[in-house]
Amino acid sequence: MNGIVYLTGAGPGDYRLLTLKGRDVLKEADVVVYDYLADERLLDFARPDAEKIYVGKKAADHTLSQEGIIALLLEKARAGNIVVRLKGGDPFVFGRGGEESRALHDAGIPFEIIPGVTSAIGAAAYAGIPVTDRTAASSFAVVTGHEDPTKKESSIRWDKLATAVDTLVFLMGVHNLPLITKELMAHGRAADTPAALVRWGTKPIQETLVATVGDIAQKAAEQQFKAPAIFVVGDVVSLRPSMQWFDTKPLFGLRIAVTRTHAQAPALTRQLENLGASCIEVPTIRIEPPSDDYAALDTAIDRLTEYDWLIFTSTNGVDAFFRRLALKGLDSRALGQAKLAAIGSATADALLTHGLTADVVPRAYCAEGLFEALSPHLRGGEKILIPRAKEARSFLPDTLRRKGADVEICEAYQTIGASENKERLEKLLTDGQIDVVTVTSSSAVHHFLDLTQDASDKLDAVTFACIGPITAQTCREKGLTQILTASTYTTAGLTDCIKDWRLNTR
């Protein structure tokens, strides 16, 4: 029995421009076939076990021919799979969706079309250029700048097109820009008409070149302005100064490596990208089960009623503890009368997801701050459990013991280096593609340096943004020199720290 193919528009670049229906079919997909312009973060919407096949095509570099892509779609659908064909922009705006849908129809395979935001509108909007405006344009046309090379003659009616509409948007036209502008001027479009090229539209690496129809080809050549880009012609381009919003954000163009775990990175990435940064998620650590296979944690859970306090020093500790609790058929009621302390607001929020409110949360989100906040509640002799990472600092248990508490530490998880990202990290550094590295723990610093030993000579050009003073001190001890330290020890505080630094150094 045949499956089904969803020809899905991925949007022009910003993965958040995917439609809700596009997201829904990705969640159901057995196979995802995606192209060059589709942001790979879209693949995170798919199931981990879904087959993901890259078939990207760009100028003179085709992973798979169009015929090969169609054959692949037919093969996977005939095997009974739910197939999502993820295409940059919109499937029917020069996306060859027509060829693929006709082939599926002829083969008797069910398919659906899920439209996407075309770069003709999306990239222009992110550059602050509306394709229509009551004061400047009542009509627009979208034109291919790269026709089928097998056609005997162009189907573009330059004599009609050049002056037929107010705004013209050419897709895939960078290579043919001299020809396009020549034809427009030859058929009546004034040389002084405002024009713009928008490269990598809607992405934090977006570039915009504004000129006129008469000189934009020369300026593009001088600045080596390359594809992928759209070419916009019309008076609407002159509205850009009053409508810029994306490339004026405080972190626009700043390339930031986010080194948190795969599960935790997106929250920080979203905050940074909302301010215009270009984020690359390259985790330096992975969270793994403890080295004793939960023996210590299981023993502690069996004796939960003995403890006066449970102290959580990370969201990972909360997650590991309650996951193990649930595997034993228990829930938060098993904590009995124990009071709870959390090292910071994020950890306290993690407890809230289990219906628990922390009794103590310090103002300063670090071990020193937590001890200070706990001290008034301790008279000596309290039995305290700290489920935490294998590699954690000794400050908190040591100072609590000196205060007279009976402290028991159990390993709830361990962090290990994400060796799978070593080659990628070193290449990014070697190519000068990282301006800032975010580090949210001392272990992240250690593992980052272990993974980048072969590119250590490039680290002097990189700024390390640290979530707090302990992490910053680890950076200094390791010989790193360009260090930022958040004054509020949260991801929001880290984001604000980077923003303030960027604004002060511009």
Side-chain angles (χ1 to χ4, degrees):
M1 181 178 178
N2 289 333
I4 186 170
V5 177
Y6 293 96
L7 301 175
T8 305
D14 185 339
Y15 75 101
R16 294 167 295 184
L17 294 179
L18 179 73
T19 63
L20 291 176
K21 187 169 183 179
R23 181 196 62 187
D24 290 345
V25 297
L26 275 170
K27 289 180 178 180
E28 299 173 2
D30 301 306
V31 180
V32 181
V33 179
Y34 65 104
D35 70 14
Y36 170 58
L37 295 178
D39 191 311
E40 289 195 22
R41 278 178 291 185
L42 293 170
L43 302 179
D44 291 338
F45 292 124
R47 302 194 316 265
D49 63 331
E51 184 179 9
K52 303 171 182 72
I53 305 171
Y54 174 66
V55 294
K57 294 188 297 179
K58 49 186 176 178
D61 183 12
H62 290 194
T63 302
L64 202 62
S65 67
Q66 185 61 41
E67 292 74 17
I69 293 171
I70 289 172
L72 177 65
L73 296 177
L74 296 177
E75 173 196 340
K76 295 299 180 181
R78 283 171 175 153
N81 293 301
I82 297 173
V83 182
V84 171
R85 169 69 171 111
L86 200 58
K87 303 170 72 66
D90 178 273
F92 284 174
V93 181
F94 309 122
R96 304 189 77 168
E99 297 168 57
E100 294 173 7
S101 59
R102 286 193 295 273
L104 293 165
H105 171 269
D106 293 346
I109 292 174
F111 66 90
E112 290 188 20
I113 310 295
I114 301 179
V117 177
T118 172
S119 61
I121 297 172
Y126 270 57
I129 302 171
V131 293
T132 66
D133 182 85
R134 287 174 65 89
T135 66
S138 300
S139 57
F140 75 98
V142 181
V143 189
T144 179
H146 182 73
E147 291 187 90
D148 184 345
T150 64
K151 291 166 64 174
K152 293 182 179 179
E153 60 182 35
S154 173
S155 60
I156 299 175
R157 301 284 298 275
W158 293 105
D159 58 328
K160 308 292 185 184
L161 178 69
T163 57
V165 295
D166 297 311
T167 306
L168 291 168
V169 183
F170 293 85
L171 306 189
M172 303 170 292
V174 174
H175 179 71
N176 292 325
L177 197 58
L179 172 64
I180 293 170
T181 53
K182 177 183 176 182
E183 292 286 357
L184 288 175
M185 290 185 290
H187 293 93
R189 200 76 174 202
D192 62 357
T193 303
L197 284 165
V198 184
R199 183 172 189 256
W200 288 120
T202 78
K203 290 192 173 187
I205 54 174
Q206 175 179 296
E207 299 175 52
T208 303
L209 173 63
V210 175
T212 66
V213 171
D215 63 11
I216 196 163
Q218 179 183 345
K219 288 186 176 181
E222 291 171 350
Q223 297 187 25
Q224 298 183 334
F225 206 95
K226 298 178 180 178
I230 67 166
F231 175 41
V232 186
V233 174
D235 290 340
V236 289
V237 174
S238 63
L239 300 175
R240 172 173 151 82
S242 63
M243 293 190 179
Q244 276 183 269
W245 63 275
F246 182 54
D247 49 11
T248 57
K249 290 189 173 189
L251 300 186
F252 182 80
L254 192 68
R255 299 162 299 182
I256 302 178
V258 177
T259 63
R260 304 195 87 190
T261 64
H262 183 72
Q264 294 175 314
L268 178 56
T269 294
R270 279 194 297 273
Q271 293 177 52
L272 294 168
E273 288 192 338
N274 284 341
L275 294 174
S278 173
C279 289
I280 310 159
E281 293 182 1
V282 275
T284 57
I285 60 174
R286 289 202 312 272
I287 303 300
E288 296 284 347
S291 56
D292 65 357
D293 198 25
Y294 296 106
L297 183 56
D298 286 345
T299 299
I301 287 174
D302 291 339
R303 298 168 34 234
L304 274 178
T305 55
E306 300 177 14
Y307 299 105
D308 300 300
W309 283 88
L310 267 65
I311 298 177
F312 292 96
T313 57
S314 71
T315 58
N316 291 322
V318 174
D319 294 342
F321 177 86
F322 283 95
R323 188 165 54 246
R324 204 64 191 171
L325 196 68
L327 285 172
K328 286 178 165 287
L330 302 172
D331 58 25
S332 56
R333 290 173 294 182
L335 274 60
Q337 298 301 310
K339 292 186 177 181
L340 303 173
I343 199 166
S345 57
T347 306
D349 288 343
L351 287 171
L352 276 175
T353 65
H354 299 280
L356 298 168
T357 301
D359 297 282
V360 171
V361 182
R363 288 193 180 91
Y365 300 158
C366 60
E368 289 78 358
L370 184 53
F371 173 72
E372 183 179 345
L374 272 168
S375 289
H377 300 273
L378 303 178
R379 292 185 174 85
E382 289 86 357
K383 194 169 180 62
I384 298 174
L385 174 66
I386 308 178
R388 65 178 199 176
K390 178 182 180 180
E391 308 82 2
R393 296 168 62 215
S394 63
F395 173 85
L396 184 61
D398 288 350
T399 50
L400 288 171
R401 286 173 180 140
R402 287 196 291 271
K403 185 80 173 176
D406 179 5
V407 180
E408 184 177 332
I409 300 169
C410 65
E411 184 185 337
Y413 65 96
Q414 61 177 324
T415 58
I416 65 171
S419 56
E420 66 274 13
N421 288 325
K422 175 178 173 63
E423 184 177 339
R424 186 183 181 205
L425 261 174
E426 290 184 336
K427 187 176 189 311
L428 288 167
L429 286 169
T430 300
D431 293 346
Q433 294 299 307
I434 297 177
D435 302 312
V436 175
V437 175
T438 62
V439 279
T440 56
S441 67
S442 292
S443 64
V445 177
H446 293 306
H447 289 302
F448 178 88
L449 295 176
D450 287 343
L451 294 174
T452 58
Q453 287 180 13
D454 294 339
S456 59
D457 59 323
K458 306 296 181 183
L459 296 182
D460 287 342
V462 175
T463 297
F464 287 80
C466 304
I467 201 165
I470 303 302
T471 307
Q473 179 60 30
T474 302
C475 285
R476 282 189 287 271
E477 290 171 355
K478 291 295 181 179
L480 302 174
T481 56
Q482 298 194 64
I483 300 169
L484 306 177
T485 307
S487 55
T488 301
Y489 314 150
T490 63
T491 55
L494 184 58
T495 300
D496 287 341
C497 172
I498 296 171
K499 180 181 71 173
D500 292 343
W501 166 76
R502 184 78 185 292
L503 292 174
N504 289 330
T505 55
R506 273 185 166 176

